[in-house]
Amino acid sequence: MIPSLIKADIADKKKIKVIGKVKSKTVLEPDVRIARLLIQDLSELDISDKDAVLMIVRAYLEQIEADGDMLDNLVQSHTGKILEDLTSQFQDAFDEETDRVQGET
Protein backbone atom coordinates (compact mmCIF):
# COMPACT_ATOMS: atom_id res chain seq x y z
CA MET A 1 0.00 0.00 0.00
CA ILE A 2 1.38 3.40 -1.02
CA PRO A 3 0.74 6.22 1.47
CA SER A 4 -1.53 9.01 0.22
CA LEU A 5 -1.37 12.76 0.60
CA ILE A 6 -4.77 13.98 1.74
CA LYS A 7 -6.64 17.25 1.99
CA ALA A 8 -9.21 17.71 4.74
CA ASP A 9 -11.04 20.63 6.27
CA ILE A 10 -10.48 19.92 9.95
CA ALA A 11 -12.71 22.72 11.26
CA ASP A 12 -15.75 21.60 9.27
CA LYS A 13 -14.85 17.90 9.35
CA LYS A 14 -15.64 17.71 5.67
CA LYS A 15 -14.84 14.76 3.52
CA ILE A 16 -11.17 13.89 3.10
CA LYS A 17 -9.91 14.09 -0.44
CA VAL A 18 -6.87 12.15 -1.68
CA ILE A 19 -4.74 14.59 -3.64
CA GLY A 20 -1.73 12.41 -4.46
CA LYS A 21 0.46 9.46 -3.66
CA VAL A 22 3.54 9.79 -1.48
CA LYS A 23 6.78 8.07 -2.35
CA SER A 24 8.80 6.94 0.62
CA LYS A 25 12.04 8.81 1.13
CA THR A 26 15.14 6.92 0.15
CA VAL A 27 17.44 6.36 3.09
CA LEU A 28 20.98 7.55 2.47
CA GLU A 29 23.84 5.09 2.59
CA PRO A 30 25.85 5.44 5.83
CA ASP A 31 28.94 6.85 4.09
CA VAL A 32 26.92 9.43 2.17
CA ARG A 33 25.00 10.44 5.30
CA ILE A 34 28.17 10.95 7.36
CA ALA A 35 29.89 12.85 4.52
CA ARG A 36 26.86 15.12 4.13
CA LEU A 37 26.78 15.86 7.86
CA LEU A 38 30.50 16.66 7.91
CA ILE A 39 30.14 19.07 5.00
CA GLN A 40 27.22 20.75 6.78
CA ASP A 41 29.03 20.95 10.13
CA LEU A 42 32.51 22.09 9.08
CA SER A 43 32.64 25.62 7.71
CA GLU A 44 35.96 24.83 6.01
CA LEU A 45 34.20 22.33 3.74
CA ASP A 46 31.68 22.84 0.98
CA ILE A 47 29.96 20.71 -1.63
CA SER A 48 32.99 20.91 -3.93
CA ASP A 49 34.85 18.79 -1.33
CA LYS A 50 32.26 15.99 -1.43
CA ASP A 51 34.36 13.44 -3.32
CA ALA A 52 37.36 13.84 -1.00
CA VAL A 53 35.18 13.79 2.12
CA LEU A 54 33.33 10.71 0.87
CA MET A 55 36.64 8.93 0.23
CA ILE A 56 37.81 9.71 3.78
CA VAL A 57 34.50 8.62 5.31
CA ARG A 58 34.57 5.35 3.35
CA ALA A 59 38.10 4.64 4.54
CA TYR A 60 36.99 5.38 8.11
CA LEU A 61 33.93 3.10 7.88
CA GLU A 62 35.99 0.29 6.33
CA GLN A 63 37.79 0.07 9.67
CA ILE A 64 34.52 -1.05 11.28
CA GLU A 65 34.21 -4.79 11.01
CA ALA A 66 30.61 -4.81 9.82
CA ASP A 67 28.72 -4.48 6.57
CA GLY A 68 25.22 -4.23 5.18
CA ASP A 69 22.45 -3.84 7.74
CA MET A 70 24.85 -4.23 10.66
CA LEU A 71 26.94 -1.29 9.43
CA ASP A 72 23.78 0.75 8.81
CA ASN A 73 22.60 0.08 12.36
CA LEU A 74 26.01 0.85 13.90
CA VAL A 75 26.35 4.10 12.00
CA GLN A 76 22.80 5.12 12.85
CA SER A 77 23.30 4.30 16.53
CA HIS A 78 26.67 6.02 16.79
CA THR A 79 26.43 8.88 14.29
CA GLY A 80 27.26 11.44 16.97
CA LYS A 81 30.44 9.66 18.07
CA ILE A 82 31.53 9.06 14.47
CA LEU A 83 30.97 12.73 13.59
CA GLU A 84 32.79 13.84 16.72
CA ASP A 85 35.80 11.66 15.86
CA LEU A 86 35.94 12.65 12.19
CA THR A 87 35.33 16.34 12.94
CA SER A 88 38.22 16.30 15.40
CA GLN A 89 40.50 14.68 12.81
CA PHE A 90 39.47 17.16 10.11
CA GLN A 91 39.95 20.08 12.50
CA ASP A 92 43.43 18.84 13.44
CA ALA A 93 44.36 18.60 9.75
CA PHE A 94 43.01 22.11 9.11
CA ASP A 95 44.96 23.48 12.09
CA GLU A 96 48.19 21.80 10.93
CA GLU A 97 47.75 23.22 7.43
CA THR A 98 47.04 26.69 8.83
CA ASP A 99 50.17 26.51 11.00
CA ARG A 100 52.23 25.32 8.02
CA VAL A 101 50.96 28.14 5.78
CA GLN A 102 51.48 30.77 8.48
CA GLY A 103 55.03 29.47 9.02
CA GLU A 104 55.79 30.07 5.33
CA THR A 105 54.88 33.76 5.49
Side-chain angles (χ1 to χ4, degrees):
M1 184 173 135
I2 298 174
S4 298
L5 185 60
I6 61 169
K7 179 179 179 181
D9 187 340
I10 297 171
D12 293 337
K13 297 182 183 178
K14 291 186 178 177
K15 186 177 177 184
I16 295 174
K17 177 182 175 187
V18 175
I19 58 174
K21 298 293 180 187
V22 178
K23 292 182 180 179
S24 61
K25 184 177 179 182
T26 304
V27 177
L28 294 175
E29 293 295 321
D31 55 347
V32 174
R33 185 162 31 108
I34 295 296
R36 177 184 277 183
L37 291 170
L38 283 168
I39 290 169
Q40 289 174 345
D41 289 350
L42 292 167
S43 62
E44 296 87 350
L45 298 173
D46 64 29
I47 194 66
S48 67
D49 301 312
K50 69 180 165 97
D51 292 333
V53 173
L54 194 53
M55 184 179 70
I56 293 166
V57 170
R58 285 179 178 154
Y60 181 92
L61 293 179
E62 284 174 3
Q63 303 303 310
I64 299 173
E65 296 181 7
D67 59 0
D69 289 341
M70 182 180 278
L71 180 62
D72 290 346
N73 290 336
L74 285 170
V75 170
Q76 186 172 1
S77 297
H78 301 285
T79 298
K81 291 265 187 210
I82 293 168
L83 283 174
E84 183 180 310
D85 187 28
L86 284 168
T87 299
S88 173
Q89 292 181 47
F90 271 93
Q91 208 58 59
D92 289 346
F94 296 146
D95 292 345
E96 287 175 16
E97 183 64 13
T98 300
D99 291 344
R100 185 188 69 74
V101 170
Q102 287 178 345
E104 292 177 357
T105 58

